[in-house]
Structure formats: C-alpha cells, structure tokens
C-alpha cells in the first residue's frame, strides 16, 4: 500500500503526450526505484531485531594470505620437530593437569570468525592407551581474520606439547547466551570451510552448552 501511494505521486499529466516521453521514462524509473527502496527497507525491518550477526568485514587481503601461509609453515615445522622428539624419546612433556585442561570450545558472545583445529595430546591419559586426538572450536571477538582466531590457540597447544596440529577450516559462529542459541556457518578464505557438523558436535559435547540450540549451515560468510 505504501508503494502504491508513492508510485501514484507526481504522475505525469495526460495532455501533450508526445512532449512527455522523456519525462514519463524518468518518472517510471523513479517510481520503480522508490518502490524497491521501500520494499527493501520493510524487509530489513521485519527481521529479528535481536539478531547479532554483524556484516562481514576484513574478508581477506594479500597480507592476510601471506600470514596464513607463514602460520601454516610454522605449524608444519613444529609438527615435524615434535615427531622427531617422539622418535628419539626426547620429548619433554608437561603434567597431565596442565595440558588436559585446555578447553575444546572457546567461543565469544556475538558473531565472530572461528576455526576448527585438530591436535594430538602430548601423552596417553592412561597406561596402555593411545594419545587422544582432539578437536578445538575457537572464535575470537575482534578477530579481523581467521588467522587471528587461530594463532592464540595454536601457540597454547604448542606450548603445552600438543602435536600434529592442523587448522582444518573456518567460518563464523553466532553465540547468543540470552537465547541459548549457537549458529555455525560460513567459510574462511585462508583455511577453507570448516566441517561445521563436526564443530557442532564438539560444541554440543561441552556441558556449558548442553541446553543450547546448536545449528549449522554452509551458507553465508
């Protein structure tokens, strides 16, 4: 109805039609554009006003891609060194309580870039068992790029003796504590698309989020 009202305004008069052709064309374009703007605005207003998904910023850059490559190369070098120490029996391991306490889920309130990281614990948790392979899901408030979300966790894992560290992909995570809602979506230019279904299982296994509605999608950024 609003569009119908706007589009009825400034309608050209019917006299001397031949002289009005350019004006009619202009009026038709203005009418179409006005209606489109109004429709877009009404649709935006009809969305959930509590939604906290912010527009994506800092998608990637040449500098970011170079830093991602450097991070991946450093991780590969660290993994190779860890394998060498394990082969010679020279690995200096920290106590179980130190490295086992690293949380598998570290996500910040709001919608932020996240990464899915896999790593192997430094030693078996019990005699005769294998070293546990773990998944880590981490998002960071203020992370301009996905590597900014990954780097603090990678350094922490390395410091605590974790081996075979892999950043398997990224995306974004919306955490809404008040609504008990978590949505995992999107992708990373630097690391590719994370296995969001896997990330969902990791989040759901955390007791802090057992009552949350956790969903995922490969759509969006």
């Amino acid at each position: 109805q609003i569009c119908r009202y706007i589009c009825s305004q400034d309608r050209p008069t019917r006299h001397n039609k031949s002289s009005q052709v350019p004006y009619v064309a202009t009026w038709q374009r203005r009418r179409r554009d006005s209606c489109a703007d109004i429709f877009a605005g009404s649709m935006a207003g009809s969305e959930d006003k509590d939604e906290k998904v912010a527009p994506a910023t800092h998608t990637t850059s040449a500098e970011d891609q170079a830093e991602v490559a450097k991070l991946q190369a450093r991780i590969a070098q660290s993994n190779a060194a860890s394998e060498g120490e394990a082969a010679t029996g020279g690995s200096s391991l920290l106590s179980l309580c130190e490295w086992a306490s690293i949380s598998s889920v570290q996500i910040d309130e709001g919608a932020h870039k996240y990464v899915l990281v896999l790593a192997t614990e430094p030693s078996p948790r019990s005699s005769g068992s294998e070293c546990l392979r773990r998944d880590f899901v981490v998002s960071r408030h203020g992370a301009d790029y996905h590597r900014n979300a990954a780097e603090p966790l990678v350094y922490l894992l390395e410091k605590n003796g974790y081996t075979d560290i892999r950043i398997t992909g990224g995306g974004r995570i919306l955490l809404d504590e008040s609504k008990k809602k978590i949505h995992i979506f999107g992708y990373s230019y630097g690391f590719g698309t994370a296995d969001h279904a896997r990330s969902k299982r990791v989040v759901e296994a955390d007791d802090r989020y057992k009552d949350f509605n956790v969903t995922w999608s490969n759509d969006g950024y």
Side-chain angles (χ1 to χ4, degrees):
Q1 292 177 342
I2 296 175
C3 281
R4 187 177 301 115
Y5 171 77
I6 294 294
C7 296
S8 68
Q9 304 306 298
D10 300 325
R11 186 184 299 273
T13 58
R14 303 178 65 89
H15 66 278
N16 195 12
K17 292 182 181 179
S18 61
S19 64
Q20 287 189 342
V21 171
Y23 176 71
V24 169
T26 301
W27 170 79
Q28 288 175 333
R29 286 195 300 271
R30 185 170 66 247
R31 179 182 64 177
R32 182 185 63 241
D33 295 344
S34 297
C35 291
D37 290 343
I38 292 171
F39 179 73
S42 65
M43 289 300 292
S46 67
E47 295 176 353
D48 183 358
K49 291 183 174 55
D50 294 327
E51 187 63 57
K52 297 182 180 180
V53 177
T57 57
H58 298 89
T59 55
T60 192
S61 65
E63 179 184 2
D64 175 50
Q65 293 297 303
E67 291 299 319
V68 167
K70 286 169 58 177
L71 176 60
Q72 295 283 42
R74 190 179 63 74
I75 292 173
Q77 185 177 17
S78 176
N79 289 338
S82 298
E83 290 175 3
E85 289 179 352
T88 59
S91 177
S92 58
L93 302 178
L94 301 174
S95 65
L96 173 64
C97 61
E98 290 183 65
W99 55 258
S101 62
I102 299 177
S103 176
S104 295
V105 181
Q106 304 172 34
I107 55 179
D108 289 341
E109 173 81 8
H112 308 292
K113 292 175 180 175
Y114 98 96
V115 290
L116 174 63
V117 178
L118 275 63
T120 301
E121 290 183 342
S123 64
R125 295 194 177 210
S126 60
S127 177
S129 64
E130 297 289 331
C131 293
L132 185 64
R133 186 75 169 155
R134 290 180 61 188
D135 300 320
F136 297 89
V137 174
V138 56
S139 75
R140 298 287 183 197
H141 173 75
D144 289 336
Y145 302 104
H146 285 90
R147 63 179 169 82
N148 300 134
E151 285 170 334
L153 175 63
V154 169
Y155 287 129
L156 181 63
L157 294 175
E158 290 177 327
K159 177 183 176 182
N160 283 273
Y162 279 76
T163 61
D164 196 16
I165 302 168
R166 312 285 179 183
I167 304 171
T168 65
R172 298 180 82 200
I173 290 183
L174 166 66
L175 168 61
D176 189 328
E177 295 273 5
S178 63
K179 292 184 176 180
K180 290 192 172 184
K181 179 178 72 172
I182 296 174
H183 185 54
I184 307 168
F185 62 101
Y187 60 94
S188 163
Y189 281 104
F191 302 111
T193 303
D195 183 344
H196 298 324
R198 185 168 186 160
S199 298
K200 176 179 182 289
R201 292 193 294 270
V202 176
V203 171
E204 289 177 327
D206 191 306
D207 287 340
R208 293 172 296 172
Y209 305 113
K210 62 182 180 180
D211 296 329
F212 280 61
N213 177 30
V214 185
T215 58
W216 70 271
S217 170
N218 284 327
D219 296 334
Y221 176 76

